[in-house]
Structures are given as C-alpha cells and as structure tokens.
Amino acid sequence: MSSSTIEAVTDRELEDRFHPIFDRIAEGALGRERDRRLPFDEVGLLRDARFGALRVPVEFGGFGASVRQLFGLLIDLAAAESNLPQALRVHWSFVEDQRLAAPTVNRERWLRAAAEGTLIGNAITEPGVGAADRYQTTLRRGDDGTWVLDGVKYYSTGSLYADHILVAADRDGERVSVLVDADAPGVAQTDDWDGFGQRLTASGTTTFSGVVVPEDRILGPGYGAPGRTYATSYLQLVQLAVLAGIARRAETDTAEWVRARTRTFTHAAADLPRHDPLVQQVIGKLSAAAYGARATVLAVADELDRLLDAGGEDPELLDRAEAAAARAQSVVIGLVLDATAQVFEVGGASITSSELGLDRHWRNARTISAHNPLIYKQQSVGAYVLNGDPLPYAWSAGQRQSVRDADAPA
C-alpha cells in the first residue's frame, strides 16, 4: 500500500498487513510471560510494519486509519500479546495531538517520523508524593539559559521500547509536556515494574538527571491540566481494548484446552468435556464476554471518531466521548474479570498448571483494570447523570497538599 496512491485504508488491507504479524507475536506470548522476557523483537516487527503510523494522515506517509480501525487492531494485538497495546498507549495520543495541532514544521516533522516507524513512550505518573498538586519532575532554566529536566517517574509504560519519551513536568507551577530522546544523556530506565500482571509492559522507573531539553521539544500543556480533553477517554479506551483482547485470547485458549481433553468426572453430564453442557455454558459465557467487550470498545471509538473529525474541541462531543468511555469501563471490566475467573470451572486441578498459563488472563485483566480505579469512575458518572456535575477528565495521583502539610514537622 503506497500512501501516495490511497485516500483511505480499508479494513481488509489493514488485516492483511497486520494479522500475520499478530500471529507471529502470539506464538511466543506464553513463553515470554513464563520467562519475563521483554518483547523487544515483537515491538521491532510492529515498528518495521509501521503499526505506529495507523492514525498518521496519508499526506504525511501514514495509513489514515479511523479511530475505529485503530481500536479494532489494538483488540486484535491484545489477543496476541496484551502487553503491547498498553506499551504503545501514549504513542497513539501523541500522534492524535499532532493531528489536531495547527500546521507547523514541528507538527509535520513528528507526523512523518511516526509514519516512518518512530515510537513514543511516556513518563507521566510519579511515585510517592506524586502529582496530585503539581509534578515533582521539574523543567527549569539552566545557568546557560537552556531548559533542564530533572525528576523520577514510575509506570513509564513502553518507554524501554520507544525512541522518544513524552514527559509531564512542572515549569514554575505550570504543567507542561516535553519530548526527550530515550537515549539522551541523563535518562536512565529500569524494568522494575513488580505487578502480578501485565509484566512485560516495561512500566518501571525512569530517572531524568540534568537532561537538556531544546525549546522545540516543549510541546504544550502537560497531562492533568484543567479543562476538557479528548485524551482521557482515548487513553482509557486503549486499556479497555486490552481487556477485550484478553477476553478473546482466554476464550481461544480455554476452548482449545477443552477440545483436547478426555478426562472428566464420574458425575459429569457427558463422557467428554466438550460435550458437557455445563462446560459449554462456561465457554459460551467467555465468548459472550469477548464479543460484548469488543462491541463496547468500538462503540466508544465511534464517539471518538465523531469528536476528532470535528476538531476535538466541541464541548458536547467531548462530554459524550468522556461519558461513553467512563460507562464502558464498568461494562468491560465487569465482563472480562468475571469471564476470566470462570475459566477454571471447565476442568479440575490440572487447569491450574503453570505450563498452561491460563492464570495470566485473569492476572493481566485484574492488573490493567486497576489503572483507573473503577469506584471513582462509577461515582463520577453517577454525579454527572444525577446532578450534571462535570466529568473529571485528566486526573493525577499522589498526596494532596493537606496531607503533606499534616505530615510536616511542627
């Protein structure tokens, strides 16, 4: 497919290009999980295929895919390897920011870079005190007048796989985003993420020590700046696409195990598990969860397509997309966590074998579901519906100033 000869990429063209790569990635997923082997080679396959160029407009060398097409492929990739869409999460919002930006040389530069395979990671969330009030990572003027970045980030998802890192920082009380080369002097990355799921997302610590930031790498407001933004629903939808992919892989893996199984119980309803109506019910529930999760994600993607096609600033469309993603979080998390827990009802103790690795589906789903706490999301939707309260949009985690003041010595 040449970007100079197409106006809109079709679903079939995208599937033909990327599904064979997803199949290759899926082949080693269980082994990587078992050995905690980071998927650098698999990211390389995606980079070579220009997967990161999906939303880059055709005129800049990309595929010009719709948001719906992107999220359909993210679900498919998550079914092959659930860590990878999450690792690329901020790449997509970075590309979207450039799509929405006013025409400049810098905008064209980054869109063309993404079209050629450049990938963007992130360093937004901070440990400890965090950024509930302001980022502890700072951007300041050095003695020679250059901008200098210092700080420590955690959950630096995907940055070990990336060419550049999008960093949220404080500049004299203002939240700003800066783009730093992943191999720049003063950047140190560590794979110390210790969650029990999604262990290959490279979501560990990144330290910035006196990193020089050119003026043109200061990109504007940082994550968590006040006001409506498409980015909250967009980034949340990537997490939900991962859950939808996990559900589909759980269905595939469990059905495959049941088909091959001849061992059953004396009080079972059939000689073979695959003919047992109770086992069939569990598989049916898994299949319905995967279908429902995918349909829900794509429905929110349609809302984002409408919003972004209109320029990404319409308040009504912003609220529609944000509310849709918030509601979808309740639907998808509930479906997928319940279904992946039910996997173990189709067999005896042998289904818990670590060689099968079926536990990874629930572990991964449970871990990614905790990234945006569901109880707060449900409350915000309820307050919005009942009282018209504003949706929270971008939020930050950390200690509030009142707590820090209370802990301060007298």
Side-chain angles (χ1 to χ4, degrees), residues 336-359:
V336 177
L337 285 183
D338 183 40
T340 52
Q342 290 289 314
V343 162
F344 303 98
E345 301 299 331
V346 302
S350 58
I351 200 172
T352 67
S353 167
S354 59
E355 288 298 307
L356 293 174
L358 291 176
D359 62 302

Side-chain angles (χ1 to χ4, degrees), residues 77-158:
L77 176 58
E81 170 57 89
S82 69
N83 294 278
L84 289 179
Q86 186 184 357
L88 297 174
R89 186 166 73 125
V90 170
H91 173 87
W92 305 114
S93 64
F94 174 82
V95 170
E96 213 64 57
D97 284 346
Q98 305 314 305
R99 282 176 55 95
L100 294 171
T104 63
V105 172
N106 217 30
R107 171 183 182 260
E108 180 172 347
R109 169 193 177 189
W110 291 116
L111 285 171
R112 291 196 180 279
E116 293 167 4
T118 293
L119 296 176
I120 309 297
N122 89 95
I124 295 173
T125 304
E126 297 179 342
V129 170
D133 291 303
R134 63 193 295 171
Y135 288 110
Q136 308 307 301
T137 299
T138 60
L139 184 68
R140 58 178 176 79
R141 286 285 191 187
D143 294 337
D144 61 355
T146 59
W147 290 105
V148 179
L149 183 71
D150 291 283
V152 179
K153 298 286 188 175
Y154 197 50
Y155 308 123
S156 306
T157 305

Side-chain angles (χ1 to χ4, degrees), residues 362-374:
W362 183 87
R363 287 189 293 101
N364 289 340
R366 179 63 274 179
T367 299
I368 202 164
S369 296
H371 280 60
N372 190 351
L374 182 57

Side-chain angles (χ1 to χ4, degrees), residues 370-405:
H371 280 60
N372 190 351
L374 182 57
I375 56 174
Y376 294 110
K377 189 63 69 174
Q378 291 171 329
Q379 181 276 329
S380 68
V381 172
Y384 173 71
V385 171
L386 286 172
N387 306 315
D389 289 5
L391 294 160
Y393 284 91
W395 48 268
S396 298
Q399 291 182 4
R400 292 183 175 180
Q401 186 65 50
S402 58
V403 173
R404 291 159 61 188
D405 291 344

